[in-house]
Amino acid sequence: KWGGGEALSYPADMYLEGSDQHRGWFQSSLLTSVAANGIAPYKTVLTHGFVLDEKGFKMSKSLGNVIDPRLVIEGGKDQKKEPAFGADVLRLWVASVDYTGDVRIGGNIMSQVSDAARKIRNTLRYILGNLNDFDPATHSVKYEDMTRVDKWMLGRLSEVRGEIADAFDKHEFFRASQAITNFCITDLSNFYLDIAKDRLYISANEDARRRACQTVLKEVLDVLLAAIAPILPHMAEDAWQNLPYKVEHKSVFQAGWPTSEAHPSYQSEAWAFVRSVRDDINACMEKARVDKVVGANLDAEVFIHVPDAGNKAILQALLHDGSMLVNPRPDSFNGVDDLRFLFLVSGVTLVDSPDEVNKVCDKYILPMGDADSGSLVGVKKAQGSKCERCWFFSDSVGTNEGLDHVCPRCAHAVNAKGGLPATPA
């Protein structure tokens, strides 16, 4: 017994020590326990390597390369040379390295870890800010009523949740850390959250396409906070205390792991292709941007030739000619699953031959050999007038009386919000 308390269990749940103890404490206690009681003294053994400096040398006072955890957390006298990273960033470093071997730590490494923590924090801030008027009890949208991209996101979220849970169960914290970071950067920031801005910022408050996106963001937030809580506890609790809707628990550490139903994977191969085309468009856009043909992506329209018939059909199913910015929307279009929204460009045209792309787009073309999608992508300046609210170019801008510089879609949203403010006399 320890201090008069309850005795520790035998055998122990876990032995945790450095890899040098395989021939030390692990072995000596094993031999003693087996000889005396016929069983191993532990249920699980978890070993770790040693912490080295940034160059891979063993830390030594004589070398002056010992790194004090307090210095990492609080910083040194010269904050420019020795910045304060905080406890959360140090914990993220611990979780991000494969402790089964020797690990390195130093200023440059901690700066990289700090950048990863900042990206996770920015993701949380984006989500929290866009849930400001969302009440899960009244505004949530059913899965069957969601758009294709929302269903894909929920399926991807369930996959990531499973990966993180499995990593935690196996004490492979570096896998959990990588899954969280990659999900925040690759799936959310670089794609879903980027294309979500249009419906979150442009749509009327009660627009179904906006509420569906908020429903997805709420589920993403539930998973992210539970996943980062063991690694970034202060960040997780800070976000929890700023949730804009009522929750049952006062702390993220009382809430536990999400119990919501997992969603099936949804057309993952098709969406992987769509995202690869989007990446190709962004690469091609840089050429036009350097020559100042376009500024933002919405200044452009793109022409795409897809040699593979199956892949072309994937894009064709996400193209709604002329129905994107009109109001009311056609019943066949949900206002989200359109290539112009997914690529954030003002126009998308699928053509049957490479010559058509070359003819229209001149020199702003990404050859098939350089394209991850295997498609030929070209960019040109968009036609029509620019909507001052959503920034899409369209021939329909200015067709609503009293709203001369916006498209019909934005005119509807403005009127739903009470119209334009009165002009001072």
Side-chain angles (χ1 to χ4, degrees):
K1 294 185 178 182
W2 291 77
E6 294 295 323
L8 297 176
S9 61
Y10 178 83
D13 290 324
M14 178 184 291
Y15 269 27
L16 173 64
E17 253 294 355
S19 55
D20 60 328
Q21 293 303 316
H22 282 287
R23 292 178 296 174
W25 180 44
F26 291 149
Q27 184 177 16
S28 62
S29 60
L30 175 63
L31 295 174
T32 303
S33 179
V34 170
N37 301 314
I39 60 172
Y42 40 72
K43 298 176 183 177
T44 304
V45 172
L46 188 65
T47 62
H48 58 78
F50 295 89
V51 180
L52 310 175
D53 72 6
E54 206 158 32
K55 296 179 180 179
F57 293 109
K58 180 180 178 181
M59 292 189 189
S60 168
K61 288 184 178 179
S62 61
L63 293 176
N65 63 345
V66 176
I67 296 184
D68 185 351
R70 184 179 294 276
L71 189 67
V72 174
I73 295 171
E74 299 177 357
K77 294 181 180 180
D78 187 344
Q79 291 283 313
K80 290 185 178 180
K81 294 183 178 180
E82 298 175 324
F85 291 106
D88 268 9
V89 174
L90 181 59
R91 291 175 65 97
L92 181 58
W93 169 78
V94 173
S96 66
V97 296
D98 183 357
Y99 60 79
T100 58
D102 293 341
V103 299
R104 300 185 183 190
I105 187 172
N108 293 329
I109 293 174
M110 292 309 301
S111 293
Q112 294 172 9
V113 176
S114 179
D115 288 341
R118 188 178 300 109
K119 289 174 181 177
I120 296 172
R121 183 178 182 84
N122 288 341
T123 300
L124 296 177
R125 289 181 62 186
Y126 176 106
I127 295 174
L128 287 169
N130 283 289
L131 291 176
N132 182 57
D133 66 337
F134 182 74
D135 180 0
T138 58
H139 296 144
S140 294
V141 175
K142 295 180 180 179
Y143 178 82
E144 55 267 25
D145 296 330
M146 287 188 172
T147 68
R148 291 172 61 184
V149 70
D150 289 335
K151 290 179 179 179
W152 167 81
M153 182 74 257
L154 289 175
R156 179 68 186 126
L157 177 65
S158 294
E159 292 175 1
V160 173
R161 186 173 78 172
E163 292 172 14
I164 296 170
D166 180 68
F168 278 142
D169 287 342
K170 296 177 179 177
H171 309 297
E172 295 176 350
F173 307 115
F174 65 94
R175 279 182 53 218
S177 172
Q178 290 172 2
I180 294 168
T181 304
N182 290 339
F183 180 62
C184 286
I185 296 173
T186 305
D187 295 317
L188 290 176
S189 296
N190 290 353
F191 181 60
Y192 187 78
L193 298 185
D194 192 31
I195 65 174
K197 293 175 184 176
D198 182 81
R199 50 176 162 160
L200 290 172
Y201 301 161
I202 301 300
S203 302
N205 290 0
E206 299 300 326
D207 194 319
R209 73 184 199 130
R210 182 170 180 270
R211 292 304 189 196
C213 185
Q214 289 178 312
T215 303
V216 174
L217 294 184
K218 194 268 182 185
E219 289 206 30
V220 169
L221 187 62
D222 288 344
V223 172
L224 280 182
L225 293 186
I228 70 170
I231 302 172
L232 300 164
H234 300 94
M235 185 187 297
E237 187 64 17
D238 184 22
W240 187 271
Q241 295 305 322
N242 286 281
L243 291 176
Y245 44 80
K246 293 182 180 180
V247 288
E248 180 181 355
H249 303 285
K250 293 183 178 180
S251 170
V252 67
F253 298 102
Q254 294 176 320
W257 194 251
T259 57
S260 59
E261 182 181 357
H263 299 285
S265 177
Y266 185 82
Q267 299 178 349
S268 56
E269 291 185 3
W271 284 102
F273 174 70
V274 171
R275 292 176 67 183
S276 68
V277 175
R278 174 186 157 96
D279 290 341
D280 291 340
I281 290 173
N282 289 336
C284 186
M285 198 76 68
E286 287 305 313
K287 299 180 181 180
R289 191 173 286 118
V290 169
D291 289 348
K292 298 183 179 181
V293 174
V294 300
N297 279 24
L298 288 172
D299 294 344
E301 58 180 301
V302 300
F303 290 76
I304 308 171
H305 169 62
V306 185
D308 183 85
N311 286 337
K312 183 178 180 179
I314 291 173
L315 298 188
Q316 193 71 54
L318 293 167
L319 193 60
H320 300 81
D321 185 36
S323 63
M324 185 183 67
L325 301 179
V326 300
N327 182 72
R329 292 191 299 264
D331 293 337
S332 60
F333 180 44
N334 58 28
V336 177
D337 294 326
D338 188 278
L339 293 180
R340 286 161 285 195
F341 289 131
L342 299 174
F343 297 156
L344 292 180
V345 294
S346 287
V348 178
T349 302
L350 300 180
V351 298
D352 295 327
S353 71
D355 291 340
E356 294 180 71
V357 178
N358 294 323
K359 180 179 179 180
V360 174
C361 299
D362 192 22
K363 60 181 179 179
Y364 304 111
I365 296 171
L366 186 69
M368 289 185 189
D370 298 333
D372 292 336
S373 65
S375 306
L376 181 66
V377 174
V379 171
K380 63 169 290 190
K381 178 71 175 179
Q383 303 298 306
S385 300
K386 181 178 181 179
C387 173
E388 292 185 353
R389 190 168 180 272
C390 70
W391 295 4
F392 276 90
F393 281 75
S394 169
D395 293 331
S396 64
V397 172
T399 57
N400 284 73
E401 185 177 353
L403 296 169
D404 296 335
H405 304 292
V406 299
C407 64
R409 180 182 65 136
C410 284
H412 172 73
V414 169
N415 291 328
K417 292 175 181 286
L420 295 175
T423 305

